[in-house]
Amino acid sequence: VVVVQNASVLELKKALRRHFQLRQARQGGVQHLSWKYIWRTYHLTYAGEKLADDRKKLREYGIRNRDEVSFIKKLRK
């Protein structure tokens, strides 16, 4: 997924959403994913740190080119 250098976490989430929608359209898979459910159920993480603040810049988390972020399931309260 490609985002600009000074992108925020929210912009990364939007880019992930676009990427998955395009991929599903090309492959003919499931046409609808509930992103509301995904963001309620999973955290985006980088180097063991949750990307919790949508307004925070990726640079502030130390994310650079070709770095990988991953989803982890949120724990129930």
Side-chain angles (χ1 to χ4, degrees):
V1 177
V2 178
V3 292
V4 293
Q5 286 283 358
N6 60 346
S8 67
V9 173
L10 182 62
E11 290 167 338
L12 174 62
K13 287 181 177 181
K14 288 179 182 178
L16 284 169
R17 182 179 183 168
R18 276 192 311 270
H19 172 76
F20 278 104
Q21 286 173 339
L22 288 171
R23 191 170 136 202
Q24 293 294 14
R26 282 190 214 118
Q27 294 177 350
V30 177
Q31 292 299 317
H32 178 73
L33 288 174
S34 173
W35 288 95
K36 192 175 190 178
Y37 170 79
I38 290 171
W39 299 131
R40 190 178 53 220
T41 310
Y42 296 93
H43 282 294
L44 270 180
T45 61
Y46 172 72
E49 185 178 359
K50 295 175 187 172
L51 307 182
D53 186 2
D54 284 349
R55 291 168 291 175
K56 204 168 179 183
K57 301 290 182 187
L58 297 177
R59 187 181 315 139
E60 294 176 44
Y61 285 107
I63 299 174
R64 303 179 56 143
N65 288 341
R66 300 195 182 271
D67 283 346
E68 290 184 18
V69 295
S70 55
F71 288 96
I72 61 164
K73 192 156 178 91
K74 290 182 180 179
L75 297 175
R76 284 186 161 183
K77 293 180 181 177

